């Protein structure tokens, strides 16, 4: 592969990484699981090591988190909030320890003392204290500057506003994780997709009174900037945090040797479902602060710490049926309806099968006993099926050659670049001929990044379609409000609100209009490029 091709491939991966980063850090709505996200980061770092001419400011080698939101004031961190390198196996841990010993010029028999602490899957925050007073609170942001979320953080009972202990430093940035306990999340899970999403959304509320309604917790585990602190190691620092009035992780341990780290890792992973908060791994830190300072940092991560990630949550269940869902681009997505199973504290009854090729490759059939994985916050998916438990009368699943919605032929496009058929099969109907495609297109048309019509949610679009009130996007602007007023759940005020929202969107930006049309391959960024170059609707048409 020549230099140009390597650079093009790298740029594609960076663009993909940026999209996933924004979904994770800004929208708190990951579109891939944590392990896949970690692999993408690792692949980029390895590419950069292999080809030294590769570099991008958005690369995980250079960036931490994502740029802060415009909704809050941006404030520089007094000490950067860095990310951690990841470990996934015992071999990774051995390499981590070997690098430390080599850097310190120590022999193999040198024993390193580690502070091992379960990694909470929440939102990082930095609390700035001066003379014992909590004066400012920041989000991680991009690691260099964060969002000023002070007033929202003040609503969390675990965060002391004033500390009077004589041994508390003159100035210090206490850092930790904001999260929601699993039992508390069950009470509000109708509002949020998952605990991390709930914590992030609550901290980004403009009104602290709304944040106060959410049962947020805070666990402290490290510090950033400090002045006047006289503590020698991480273990003692955690003890002082407790004395100062902060909550710390009850599962913290001091451990020597990678074998013992692995033993502790397996014990915690077994207890994972019993722990009343989401954890996604264990962080190991060299306990001695002097050694930490000697080891220093590489790129945007410390040499003296690593995050040992857990394997994704999984469980086995029976596939009751395989249903086909149809998206706005006509894509047919198979979904396994499974016997409900609790995976990682969440009851799962659906698992994606991705596409036709995936079903064929894994030979997935109705009535099979399947291994289901729920990793992070993405849709659960089928990993494999147990062939030993398959019945004699089992039949291969036949993917529909006709659209289940409109009966049109289903096709696979030929990719001129790969010289292969696409993995996804699609309904061949055009425009709004297919009912399922049409409904999904209208949902997209009114979505936040498109026309952003408040009051026209997904369920309402489906209801209006079934009542023949909306069949095409333009029908939105000539709705019969007299009919709507007689529907259950609709009153005068909700009618006024919907009218106002629709009228407000009769004029929108050119780029939003292009995006709203839902043309395949035309996302928001491409819509912006088209709008910038064509300049007018006349040229576009």
């Amino acid at each position: 592969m020549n230099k140009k091709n390597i650079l093009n491939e790298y740029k594609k991966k960076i663009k993909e990484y940026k999209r996933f980063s924004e979904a994770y850090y800004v929208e708190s709505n990951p579109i891939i699981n944590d392990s896949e996200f970690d692999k993408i980061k690792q692949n980029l770092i390895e590419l950069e090591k292999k080809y030294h001419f590769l570099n991008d400011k958005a690369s995980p080698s250079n960036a931490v988190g994502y740029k802060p939101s415009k909704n809050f004031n941006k404030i520089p961190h007094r000490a950067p909030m860095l990310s951690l390198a990841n470990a996934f196996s015992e071999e990774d841990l051995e390499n981590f320890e070997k690098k430390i010993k080599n850097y310190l010029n120590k022999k193999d028999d040198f024993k390193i003392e580690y502070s091992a602490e379960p990694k909470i899957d929440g939102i990082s925050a930095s609390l700035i204290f001066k003379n014992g007073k909590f004066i400012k609170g920041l989000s991680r942001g991009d690691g260099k500057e964060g969002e000023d979320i002070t007033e929202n953080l003040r609503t969390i009972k675990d965060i002391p506003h004033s500390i009077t202990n004589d041994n508390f430093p003159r100035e210090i940035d206490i850092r930790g994780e904001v999260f929601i306990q699993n039992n508390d999340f069950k009470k509000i899970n109708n509002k949020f997709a998952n605990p991390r999403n709930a914590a992030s959304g609550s901290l980004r509320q403009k009104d602290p009174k709304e944040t106060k309604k959410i049962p947020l917790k805070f666990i402290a585990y490290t510090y950033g900037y400090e002045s006047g602190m006289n503590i020698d190691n991480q273990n003692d620092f955690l003890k002082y945090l407790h004395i100062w009035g902060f909550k710390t992780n009850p599962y913290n341990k001091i451990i020597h040797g990678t074998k013992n780290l692995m033993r502790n890792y397996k014990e915690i992973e077994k207890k994972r479902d019993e722990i009343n908060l989401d954890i996604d791994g264990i962080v190991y830190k060299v306990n001695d602060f002097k050694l930490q300072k000697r080891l220093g940092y590489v790129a945007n991560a410390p040499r003296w710490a690593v995050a040992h990630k857990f394997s994704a949550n999984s469980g086995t269940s029976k596939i009751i049926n395989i249903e086909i869902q149809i998206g706005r681009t006509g894509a047919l997505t198979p979904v396994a309806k499974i016997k409900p199973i609790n995976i990682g504290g969440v009851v799962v009854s659906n698992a994606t099968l991705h596409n036709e090729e995936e079903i064929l490759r894994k030979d997935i059939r109705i009535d099979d006993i399947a291994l289901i994985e729920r990793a992070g916050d993405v849709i659960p998916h089928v990993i494999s099926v147990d062939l030993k438990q398959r019945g004699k009368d089992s039949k291969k699943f036949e993917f529909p050659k006709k659209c289940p919605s409109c009966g049109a032929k289903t096709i696979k496009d030929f990719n001129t670049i790969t010289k292969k058929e696409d993995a996804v099969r699609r309904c061949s109907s055009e425009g709004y001929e297919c009912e399922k495609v049409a409904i999904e297109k209208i949902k997209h048309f009114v979505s936040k990044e498109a026309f952003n019509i408040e009051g026209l949610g997904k369920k309402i679009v489906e209801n209006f379609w079934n009542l023949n009130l909306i069949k095409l996007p333009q029908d939105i602007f000539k709705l019969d409000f007299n009919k709507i007023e007689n529907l259950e759940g609709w009153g005068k005020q909700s009618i006024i609100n919907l009218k106002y929202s629709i009228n407000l969107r009769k004029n929108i930006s050119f780029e939003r209009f292009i995006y709203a049309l839902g043309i395949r391959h035309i996302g928001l960024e491409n819509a912006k490029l088209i709008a910038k170059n064509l300049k007018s609707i006349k040229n576009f048409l």
Side-chain angles (χ1 to χ4, degrees):
M1 193 184 284
N2 62 37
K3 189 173 180 178
K4 188 179 178 182
N5 289 342
I6 292 167
L7 197 59
N8 287 339
E9 187 64 28
Y10 175 72
K11 283 180 179 177
K12 279 183 192 175
K13 288 181 183 291
I14 285 288
K15 191 176 180 182
E16 184 182 51
Y17 173 71
K18 282 171 73 177
R19 184 162 59 90
F20 295 145
S21 290
E22 185 168 13
Y24 184 85
Y25 291 110
V26 180
E27 297 167 9
S28 301
N29 189 23
I31 47 182
I32 59 169
N33 64 48
D34 284 0
S35 56
E36 287 175 302
F37 187 47
D38 289 334
K39 281 175 187 174
I40 288 167
K41 286 198 283 187
Q42 196 60 36
N43 286 341
L44 278 168
I45 292 166
E46 285 170 5
L47 262 178
E48 288 164 356
K49 284 179 182 176
K50 190 175 180 182
Y51 303 106
H52 295 295
F53 60 87
L54 297 178
N55 189 32
D56 192 285
K57 63 181 181 181
S59 161
S61 300
N62 300 320
V64 178
Y66 204 77
K67 59 187 176 185
S69 165
K70 292 176 183 176
N71 294 332
F72 297 91
N73 290 331
K74 292 183 282 187
I75 295 177
H77 292 294
R78 298 196 289 181
M81 287 189 79
L82 303 175
S83 61
L84 293 173
N86 289 329
F88 300 96
S89 64
E90 187 170 358
E91 185 184 359
D92 289 344
L93 293 183
E94 286 169 355
N95 287 334
F96 168 67
E97 182 164 280
K98 191 176 179 181
K99 285 177 183 177
I100 289 173
K101 288 179 180 179
N102 287 343
Y103 191 86
L104 295 172
N105 198 23
K106 298 289 185 183
K107 293 180 180 179
D108 287 344
D109 59 356
F110 178 73
K111 286 189 177 181
I112 299 171
E113 190 173 67
Y114 295 102
S115 170
E117 177 176 350
K119 183 176 175 293
I120 301 168
D121 190 15
I123 304 299
S124 300
S126 184
L127 315 176
I128 301 170
F129 283 83
K130 283 188 180 181
N131 299 318
K133 302 288 183 186
F134 172 41
I135 61 163
K136 193 76 70 182
L138 307 179
S139 69
R140 180 195 289 276
D142 63 2
K144 293 175 184 175
E145 58 179 15
E147 302 151 336
D148 182 354
I149 51 171
T150 309
E151 295 312 311
N152 288 342
L153 288 168
R154 285 189 191 280
T155 68
I156 302 173
K157 292 177 181 176
D158 294 342
I159 297 175
H161 294 184
S162 179
I163 299 169
T164 56
N165 298 69
D166 293 338
N167 55 8
F168 190 70
R170 289 187 302 278
E171 289 190 37
I172 190 168
D173 299 350
I174 300 289
R175 290 175 176 176
E177 207 79 1
V178 177
F179 64 98
I180 291 179
Q181 289 181 327
N182 293 334
N183 61 339
D184 286 332
F185 178 68
K186 287 173 186 176
K187 300 168 189 173
I188 57 166
N189 62 5
N190 60 320
K191 297 178 183 177
F192 302 98
N194 52 68
R196 187 183 186 279
N197 180 279
S200 177
S202 304
L203 283 179
R204 286 193 168 96
Q205 293 274 7
K206 287 186 178 180
D207 185 358
K209 290 177 184 174
E210 292 301 312
T211 305
K212 196 172 183 179
K213 294 176 185 177
I214 307 299
L216 296 173
K217 307 284 185 187
F218 180 80
I219 275 184
Y221 50 69
T222 192
Y223 64 93
Y225 174 85
E226 60 83 16
S227 174
M229 187 175 83
N230 188 25
I231 300 172
D232 295 330
N233 58 62
Q234 175 69 12
N235 192 47
D236 285 348
F237 177 72
L238 292 173
K239 288 176 183 175
Y240 274 109
L241 280 174
H242 191 69
I243 292 166
W244 296 334
F246 292 96
K247 287 186 178 173
T248 55
N249 200 309
Y251 295 94
N252 286 315
K253 274 187 181 178
I254 292 297
I255 299 172
H256 295 86
T258 54
K259 296 288 182 191
N260 291 326
L261 290 179
M262 278 304 300
R263 195 173 290 117
N264 178 63
Y265 172 87
K266 287 172 183 175
E267 284 174 9
I268 295 290
E269 193 171 27
K270 281 178 188 174
K271 293 178 186 174
R272 197 173 169 188
D273 292 343
E274 301 167 21
I275 297 171
N276 193 24
L277 49 91
D278 272 359
I279 56 173
D280 58 3
I282 300 179
V283 174
Y284 308 127
K285 298 173 186 174
V286 172
N287 191 41
D288 191 314
F289 283 165
K290 285 181 183 176
L291 287 183
Q292 285 187 15
K293 284 176 182 175
R294 277 180 63 188
L295 287 162
Y297 304 88
V298 52
N300 57 11
R303 281 194 185 89
W304 43 266
V306 70
H308 190 183
K309 292 295 190 82
F310 287 137
S311 55
N313 280 334
S314 60
T316 56
S317 182
K318 185 176 183 179
I319 297 174
I320 299 165
N321 196 14
I322 296 175
E323 294 182 0
I324 303 295
Q325 293 180 353
I326 304 162
R328 67 176 170 85
T329 63
L332 273 62
T333 304
V335 176
K337 296 290 179 180
I338 63 171
K339 188 176 179 182
I341 178 176
N342 190 311
I343 301 177
V346 175
V347 176
V348 174
S349 54
N350 296 329
T352 183
L353 299 170
H354 299 294
N355 53 52
E356 182 178 9
E357 283 185 9
E358 187 84 347
I359 292 176
L360 290 171
R361 185 171 66 84
K362 294 177 178 175
D363 190 17
I364 298 166
R365 306 182 186 185
I366 294 169
D367 290 332
D368 274 349
I369 302 299
L371 176 64
I372 313 294
E373 181 181 84
R374 177 187 161 263
D377 307 314
V378 293
I379 301 167
H381 57 283
V382 175
I383 298 295
S384 60
V385 295
D386 189 345
L387 299 177
K388 292 177 182 176
Q389 295 193 60
R390 178 176 284 170
K392 291 179 181 179
D393 299 329
S394 174
K395 292 180 181 178
K396 284 198 171 188
F397 179 78
E398 290 189 20
F399 213 85
K401 300 297 184 281
K402 287 187 177 181
C403 174
S405 173
C406 68
K409 186 181 176 183
T410 60
I411 56 170
K412 284 187 175 184
D413 291 344
F414 182 77
N415 191 314
T416 54
I417 297 169
T418 62
K419 307 298 180 188
K420 293 178 182 178
E421 282 187 335
D422 281 350
V424 176
R425 188 175 286 277
R426 299 175 190 275
C427 170
S428 62
S429 69
E430 295 184 357
Y432 291 77
E433 294 168 6
C434 176
E435 178 181 333
K436 293 291 184 185
V437 170
I439 291 171
E440 293 306 314
K441 278 190 171 186
I442 294 167
K443 287 177 185 176
H444 174 78
F445 186 85
V446 301
S447 66
K448 189 178 179 181
E449 301 290 358
F451 269 73
N452 191 21
I453 299 176
E454 289 184 24
L456 270 184
K458 292 179 180 181
K459 293 291 182 186
I460 291 171
V461 168
E462 288 174 9
N463 193 27
F464 282 9
W465 172 277
N466 293 330
L467 295 167
N468 292 315
L469 290 168
I470 296 175
K471 290 293 178 181
L472 296 165
Q474 54 264 43
D475 294 339
I476 292 165
F477 300 97
K478 49 186 180 182
L479 276 171
D480 187 337
F481 289 102
N482 291 326
K483 283 186 179 178
I484 295 170
E485 198 169 354
N486 294 322
L487 298 175
E488 188 180 341
W490 286 88
K492 284 186 178 179
Q493 190 56 50
S494 51
I495 294 288
I496 290 167
N497 292 342
L498 183 58
K499 270 186 186 178
Y500 174 77
S501 189
I502 290 170
N503 288 332
L504 198 64
R505 301 300 173 191
K506 284 185 176 178
N507 289 300
I508 64 166
S509 66
F510 188 20
E511 64 196 43
R512 276 181 176 265
F513 173 76
I514 294 169
Y515 175 72
L517 296 177
I519 303 166
R520 195 170 153 209
H521 303 305
I522 308 298
L524 196 57
E525 291 306 313
N526 279 342
K528 286 176 184 176
L529 290 172
I530 293 167
K532 187 179 177 181
N533 282 277
L534 295 183
K535 293 181 172 60
S536 73
I537 188 74
K538 185 181 177 183
N539 293 338
F540 177 75
L541 294 173

